[in-house]
Amino acid sequence: MALRTRLTDRFKIEHPIFSAPMGFIAGGRLAAATSQAGGLGLIGGGYGDAEWLTREFGEVGNARVGCGFITWSLARRPELLDLALARAPAALMLSFGALAPFAQTIKRAGVPLICQAQTLAHAREAVAAGADVIVAQGGEAGGHGGTRATLTLTPEIVDYLAGAAPDTLLLAAGGIADGRGLAAALMLGADGVLIGSRLMASAEALTPPGFLDAILAADGDATVKTKVIDVVRSYDWPSGISGRALNTRFVAEWQGRENALAEPATRAAEAERYWRAFRAGEAEGTGVFMGEAVGLIHDAPPAARVIARIVGDAEHLLSNAGGFVAAPI
Amino acid sequence: MALRTRLTDRFKIEHPIFSAPMGFIAGGRLAAATSQAGGLGLIGGGYGDAEWLTREFGEVGNARVGCGFITWSLARRPELLDLALARAPAALMLSFGALAPFAQTIKRAGVPLICQAQTLAHAREAVAAGADVIVAQGGEAGGHGGTRATLTLTPEIVDYLAGAAPDTLLLAAGGIADGRGLAAALMLGADGVLIGSRLMASAEALTPPGFLDAILAADGDATVKTKVIDVVRSYDWPSGISGRALNTRFVAEWQGRENALAEPATRAAEAERYWRAFRAGEAEGTGVFMGEAVGLIHDAPPAARVIARIVGDAEHLLSNAGGFVAAPI
């Protein structure tokens, strides 16, 4: 069976599931596996690295995939958009930062434009930029995001779009890792979901094995919103956006002391420690972006199996949902 | 029609909806109206005030209602538990703080014990205390709460209870204000929902008219997690818990400057301003606890109408949910 929504009709896919363009994590193999499983996969363009992007698009084979960029970082390397457009992507996604002029370039190329929104105000900007799809991303999501919750942001943007842009589709993102989350998102009025953390724990993700062990061991209380990882990496994110990550020893050590970490000599020394642990896959000594849904993740099978399970469970729940409705006692 | 779950069976109610015991806001009339509408109403015992509590139980008439307390504050006025137990409440709810010995007293009286949990760890404590019902409260909730999101906390506690305490029921709370939210909560595996903010905007709530105007004007981006309101009121909340409130002028003025506000002379002067504005219902000059769901709230009808609308919309969504399941393209 399949789950049918406006999203599956519009993108001619079987299931209303996009994989999140997780920087460093969502390469060509994960994107391709997601698309082959009936969803749509997005390569994580991240901060932007032409060599990495070229290689990962090369891993896609015949699969139809899209790509996502961190908008403010893309503004410093605008040529990467052309690189992605040259691959005839199924969609391009912009997150975090001013949408113009990239939005126009993408639309002019006839490529569906996905814009990620952390607030209702962001959704208004996305509509103004001509977004074909908006992603309502709650702060329970792993990696960078805002503070609003998926559960309220999704229906509020649904209501806004019903008046302002009824043909714009909406995906819910943040906290969705199983069939229950997908079924809940559809009840909230979303046309589908964007899934990150759950697919970070899959065979095709570029997740270091040491990170995977930490992910499988963590419960949902084990993540924290933090700027520590951005500070040590010298990334200058817009205000209002922070990262959700496992509360590793490194993060806990500096949380609340970001100014001390930003002191140049300290930052240089800590960055060396950070990257050494990162390359070695030593989760406790570095930063591991991960959403609250980590408490719902207990294995790391191939992406096709993850998606089949999510869809199967959601189908079961949705098919039986009418059973809650009963005659009064 | 009605919505039937384990919760409606256990409490012999028509709809799986409890009203939140909002301090100062949820008096006897709101609790009674909720129960008469087919849910179960809880009086907001709050920090604890015998005179207020006696008066509000007196407003209940023949309705069967429960009551909720802030646990750490109840520990300073334990006699209030006896006052509530003398009313043969339909349930008693404990939130924020060590559950024993209140949990034992409540259970010994044969009254259903509801424990609110902001984390998976809290849920474990609630099971150890013998909770009959756990409320998984996400940080999108208005008033005091933690930082985890309803969307992940609910299914994670569902999974935990399935193994550890399968007869313990679970309510989802935080961000639920309409039929979409209720339907989503049921898909997540909750047995029902606890609704606060949406009922704060109802005819029976003790919400000052000036606050109501601010609530109806706000969108979901307009709330903030803050300790400012506790600091000015000299309430000493446990770590990890803060309040979600409208980002009023007063809150915005002190947010991030809590230490300066806590300086005795400043606090005394600001508290006088705060309470003057509070009594006058001048929202911008004081604190208005309110959840992110404020963006889904556009009127303040009688509670019976709020509940009928939520149930009707949820029934419609759940009855039609099977329509998402289709044969593959």
Side-chain angles (χ1 to χ4, degrees):
Chain A
M1 299 300 282
L3 284 170
R4 192 166 174 188
T5 70
R6 296 194 303 171
L7 186 78
T8 60
D9 289 352
R10 190 85 64 88
F11 282 85
K12 303 196 185 343
I13 54 181
E14 265 186 79
H15 309 305
I17 297 175
F18 284 16
S19 61
M22 299 172 277
F24 302 118
I25 299 295
R29 287 185 61 225
L30 178 58
T34 301
S35 294
Q36 281 154 359
L40 183 72
L42 302 179
I43 290 175
Y47 297 96
D49 176 325
E51 196 182 327
W52 188 91
L53 203 56
T54 302
R55 186 179 72 228
E56 295 303 331
F57 264 111
E59 294 282 337
V60 161
N62 291 324
R64 189 168 144 265
V65 306
C67 180
F69 290 103
I70 296 168
T71 322
W72 64 260
S73 189
L74 183 62
R76 300 176 187 177
R77 301 169 186 81
E79 68 281 5
L80 293 177
L81 185 58
D82 299 321
L83 194 159
L85 284 171
R87 302 301 178 128
L92 286 177
M93 175 163 159
L94 300 176
S95 307
F96 312 114
L99 298 168
F102 305 119
Q104 284 185 309
T105 307
I106 293 166
K107 295 207 48 102
R108 218 176 285 129
V111 172
L113 170 64
I114 310 173
C115 297
Q116 192 160 240
Q118 287 76 39
T119 62
L120 179 62
H122 289 162
R124 289 197 189 97
E125 294 168 14
V127 166
D132 299 291
V133 179
I134 293 177
V135 177
Q137 185 209 28
E140 51 268 68
H144 288 89
T147 59
R148 290 214 44 191
T150 307
L151 190 59
T152 69
L153 186 60
T154 300
E156 192 171 354
I157 297 183
V158 165
D159 290 342
Y160 163 66
L161 291 178
D167 292 334
T168 304
L169 304 183
L170 185 69
L171 304 187
I176 299 162
D178 60 22
R180 294 174 292 190
L182 171 53
L186 296 178
M187 291 296 99
L188 294 175
D191 299 295
V193 297
L194 181 97
I195 291 186
S197 297
R198 171 62 270 199
L199 288 166
M200 187 166 162
S202 71
E204 294 87 351
L206 301 173
T207 309
F211 288 18
L212 205 50
D213 293 343
I215 291 165
L216 297 182
D219 67 32
D221 295 349
T223 75
V224 65
K225 285 286 268 185
T226 184
K227 289 180 177 290
V228 165
I229 300 172
D230 295 331
V231 171
V232 77
R233 300 185 304 173
S234 299
Y235 283 135
D236 194 20
W237 276 80
S239 76
I241 302 295
S242 62
R244 183 174 291 283
L246 293 181
N247 193 19
T248 58
R249 193 186 66 234
F250 176 80
V251 169
E253 188 179 336
W254 291 105
Q255 184 81 346
R257 300 197 299 133
E258 293 80 2
N259 287 342
L261 178 60
E263 194 275 315
T266 305
R267 171 146 60 185
E270 289 299 310
E272 200 187 315
R273 268 179 64 187
Y274 175 94
W275 286 114
R276 197 185 315 124
F278 187 91
R279 282 187 298 268
E282 291 169 9
E284 286 300 323
T286 188
V288 180
F289 286 124
M290 177 49 54
E292 276 190 18
V294 69
L296 305 171
I297 298 171
H298 309 297
D299 58 5
R305 171 105 188 86
V306 169
I307 290 171
R309 209 153 59 185
I310 292 172
V311 170
D313 290 350
E315 284 175 356
H316 180 78
L317 286 166
L318 294 165
S319 298
N320 292 292
F324 285 112
V325 183
I329 302 170
Chain B
M1 298 300 281
L3 284 171
R4 192 166 174 188
T5 70
R6 296 194 303 170
L7 185 79
T8 59
D9 289 353
R10 189 85 65 87
F11 282 85
K12 302 196 186 342
I13 54 180
E14 265 186 80
H15 308 306
I17 298 175
F18 284 15
S19 61
M22 298 172 277
F24 302 118
I25 299 295
R29 285 185 62 225
L30 178 58
T34 300
S35 294
Q36 281 154 358
L40 183 72
L42 301 179
I43 290 175
Y47 297 95
D49 176 325
E51 195 183 327
W52 188 92
L53 203 57
T54 303
R55 186 179 72 228
E56 294 303 331
F57 265 110
E59 293 283 337
V60 161
N62 291 324
R64 187 168 145 265
V65 306
C67 180
F69 289 104
I70 296 168
T71 322
W72 64 261
S73 190
L74 184 63
R76 300 176 186 177
R77 301 169 186 80
E79 68 280 5
L80 293 178
L81 185 58
D82 299 322
L83 193 159
L85 283 171
R87 302 304 177 125
L92 285 177
M93 175 163 159
L94 300 176
S95 307
F96 313 115
L99 298 168
F102 305 119
Q104 285 186 309
T105 307
I106 293 166
K107 299 216 32 116
R108 217 176 285 130
V111 172
L113 170 64
I114 310 173
C115 296
Q116 192 160 242
Q118 288 76 39
T119 62
L120 179 62
H122 288 161
R124 289 198 188 97
E125 294 167 15
V127 166
D132 299 290
V133 179
I134 293 176
V135 176
Q137 185 209 29
E140 52 269 68
H144 288 90
T147 61
R148 290 213 45 191
T150 307
L151 190 60
T152 69
L153 186 60
T154 300
E156 192 171 354
I157 298 183
V158 165
D159 290 342
Y160 163 67
L161 291 178
D167 291 335
T168 303
L169 304 184
L170 185 70
L171 303 187
I176 298 161
D178 59 23
R180 294 175 292 191
L182 171 53
L186 296 177
M187 291 296 98
L188 294 175
D191 299 295
V193 297
L194 181 97
I195 292 186
S197 297
R198 172 62 272 199
L199 288 166
M200 187 165 163
S202 71
E204 294 87 351
L206 302 172
T207 309
F211 288 18
L212 205 50
D213 293 343
I215 290 165
L216 298 182
D219 67 33
D221 295 349
T223 76
V224 65
K225 285 286 268 182
T226 184
K227 289 182 177 288
V228 165
I229 300 173
D230 295 332
V231 171
V232 77
R233 300 185 304 174
S234 299
Y235 283 135
D236 195 19
W237 276 80
S239 76
I241 302 294
S242 61
R244 183 174 292 283
L246 293 182
N247 194 19
T248 58
R249 193 186 65 237
F250 176 81
V251 169
E253 187 178 337
W254 290 105
Q255 185 80 346
R257 299 197 301 133
E258 294 80 3
N259 287 344
L261 178 60
E263 194 274 315
T266 305
R267 170 144 61 186
E270 289 299 309
E272 199 187 315
R273 268 179 63 188
Y274 175 94
W275 286 114
R276 197 186 315 125
F278 187 91
R279 282 187 297 268
E282 290 169 9
E284 286 300 323
T286 188
V288 180
F289 286 125
M290 177 48 54
E292 276 191 19
V294 69
L296 305 171
I297 298 170
H298 310 297
D299 58 6
R305 171 105 188 85
V306 169
I307 290 171
R309 210 154 57 184
I310 292 173
V311 170
D313 289 350
E315 284 175 357
H316 180 77
L317 286 166
L318 294 164
S319 298
N320 292 292
F324 285 111
V325 183
I329 301 170

Coordinates of all heavy atoms in Angstrom, one line a residue, chain A residues 4 22 29-30 40-41 44 71 78 97 105 111 125-126 138 172 176 185-186 188 226 230 234 244 256 268 270 291:
Chain A
R4 N -1.3 8.4 0.4 CA -1.5 9.4 -0.7 C -1.9 10.8 -0.1 O -2.8 10.9 0.7 CB -2.6 8.9 -1.6 CG -2.7 9.7 -2.9 CD -3.5 9.1 -3.9 NE -3.6 10.0 -5.1 CZ -4.4 9.8 -6.1 NH1 -5.1 8.7 -6.2 NH2 -4.4 10.7 -7.1
M22 N 20.7 16.7 5.7 CA 21.6 16.9 6.8 C 23.1 17.0 6.4 O 23.6 16.2 5.7 CB 21.5 15.6 7.7 CG 20.1 15.4 8.3 SD 20.0 13.8 9.2 CE 19.7 12.7 7.8
R29 N 24.1 8.5 -1.3 CA 23.5 7.2 -1.1 C 22.2 7.2 -0.3 O 21.3 6.5 -0.6 CB 24.5 6.3 -0.4 CG 25.6 5.8 -1.4 CD 26.6 4.8 -0.7 NE 25.9 3.6 -0.3 CZ 26.0 3.0 0.9 NH1 26.8 3.5 1.8 NH2 25.4 1.9 1.2
L30 N 22.2 8.0 0.8 CA 21.0 8.2 1.6 C 19.8 8.8 0.8 O 18.7 8.3 0.8 CB 21.2 9.0 2.9 CG 20.0 9.2 3.8 CD1 19.4 7.9 4.2 CD2 20.3 10.0 5.0
L40 N 11.3 11.0 -1.2 CA 12.2 11.9 -2.0 C 13.4 12.2 -1.1 O 13.2 12.8 0.0 CB 11.5 13.2 -2.5 CG 12.4 14.0 -3.4 CD1 12.6 13.4 -4.8 CD2 11.9 15.4 -3.6
G41 N 14.6 11.9 -1.6 CA 15.8 12.1 -0.9 C 16.4 13.5 -1.2 O 16.4 13.9 -2.4
G44 N 22.5 16.7 1.5 CA 22.8 17.8 2.5 C 23.9 18.7 2.0 O 25.1 18.5 2.4
T71 N 21.2 28.7 3.7 CA 21.0 29.8 2.8 C 22.1 30.8 3.0 O 22.7 31.4 2.1 CB 19.6 30.4 2.9 OG1 18.7 29.4 3.1 CG2 19.3 31.2 1.7
P78 N 27.8 31.3 -4.0 CA 26.6 31.2 -4.8 C 26.8 30.2 -6.0 O 25.8 29.7 -6.5 CB 26.3 32.6 -5.2 CG 27.6 33.3 -5.0 CD 28.3 32.6 -3.9
G97 N 18.0 31.9 6.5 CA 18.6 33.1 5.8 C 17.7 33.7 4.8 O 16.7 33.1 4.4
T105 N 16.2 32.3 -8.8 CA 17.0 31.4 -9.7 C 16.5 30.0 -9.7 O 16.4 29.4 -10.8 CB 18.5 31.4 -9.2 OG1 19.0 32.7 -9.0 CG2 19.4 30.7 -10.2
V111 N 12.7 24.4 -11.1 CA 12.9 23.4 -10.0 C 12.0 23.7 -8.8 O 12.0 24.9 -8.4 CB 14.4 23.4 -9.6 CG1 14.6 22.5 -8.4 CG2 15.2 22.9 -10.8
E125 N 7.6 34.8 4.8 CA 8.7 35.1 3.9 C 8.8 34.0 2.8 O 9.1 34.4 1.6 CB 10.0 35.1 4.7 CG 10.1 36.3 5.7 CD 11.3 36.1 6.6 OE1 12.2 35.3 6.4 OE2 11.3 36.9 7.6
A126 N 8.6 32.8 3.1 CA 8.6 31.7 2.1 C 7.6 31.9 1.1 O 7.8 31.7 -0.1 CB 8.5 30.4 2.8
G138 N 10.1 22.2 13.8 CA 10.0 22.5 15.2 C 11.4 22.3 15.8 O 12.3 21.7 15.3
A172 N 5.8 18.7 7.8 CA 6.2 18.8 9.2 C 7.6 18.2 9.4 O 7.9 17.2 8.8 CB 5.2 18.2 10.1
I176 N 9.8 13.7 14.2 CA 9.0 12.6 13.5 C 10.0 11.5 13.2 O 10.9 11.7 12.4 CB 8.3 13.2 12.3 CG1 7.3 14.3 12.8 CG2 7.6 12.0 11.5 CD1 6.9 15.2 11.7
A185 N 1.4 13.9 12.0 CA 1.6 15.1 11.1 C 0.5 15.2 10.1 O 0.0 16.4 9.8 CB 2.9 14.9 10.4
L186 N 0.0 14.1 9.6 CA -1.1 14.2 8.7 C -2.4 14.7 9.4 O -3.2 15.5 8.8 CB -1.4 12.8 8.0 CG -0.2 12.3 7.1 CD1 -0.5 10.9 6.6 CD2 0.1 13.3 6.0
L188 N -2.4 16.8 11.7 CA -2.2 18.2 12.0 C -2.5 19.1 10.7 O -2.5 20.3 10.7 CB -0.8 18.5 12.5 CG -0.5 17.9 13.9 CD1 1.0 18.1 14.2 CD2 -1.4 18.6 14.9
T226 N 22.0 24.1 21.8 CA 23.3 24.6 22.1 C 23.9 25.4 21.0 O 23.6 25.2 19.8 CB 24.2 23.4 22.5 OG1 25.5 24.0 22.9 CG2 24.5 22.5 21.3
D230 N 28.6 25.5 17.3 CA 28.9 26.6 16.3 C 30.0 27.5 16.7 O 30.8 27.9 15.9 CB 27.6 27.5 16.1 CG 26.5 26.7 15.5 OD1 26.7 25.8 14.7 OD2 25.3 27.0 15.8
S234 N 33.6 28.1 14.8 CA 33.6 29.4 14.2 C 32.6 29.7 13.1 O 32.8 30.4 12.2 CB 35.0 29.8 13.7 OG 36.0 29.7 14.7
R244 N 20.4 21.5 18.0 CA 20.0 20.5 19.0 C 21.0 19.3 18.8 O 21.2 18.9 17.7 CB 18.6 20.0 18.9 CG 18.2 19.0 19.9 CD 16.8 18.6 20.0 NE 15.9 19.7 20.4 CZ 15.7 20.1 21.6 NH1 16.4 19.5 22.6 NH2 14.9 21.1 21.9
G256 N 26.6 27.3 28.4 CA 26.5 28.4 29.3 C 27.8 29.2 29.5 O 27.8 30.2 30.1
A268 N 40.8 28.1 19.6 CA 41.8 27.3 18.7 C 42.1 26.0 19.3 O 42.1 25.0 18.6 CB 43.0 28.2 18.5
E270 N 40.4 24.2 21.6 CA 39.2 23.4 21.7 C 38.8 22.9 20.3 O 38.3 21.8 20.2 CB 38.1 24.1 22.4 CG 38.3 24.4 23.9 CD 38.5 23.0 24.6 OE1 37.6 22.2 24.5 OE2 39.5 22.9 25.4
G291 N 18.1 15.0 17.1 CA 16.9 15.5 17.6 C 16.4 14.7 18.8 O 16.9 13.7 19.1

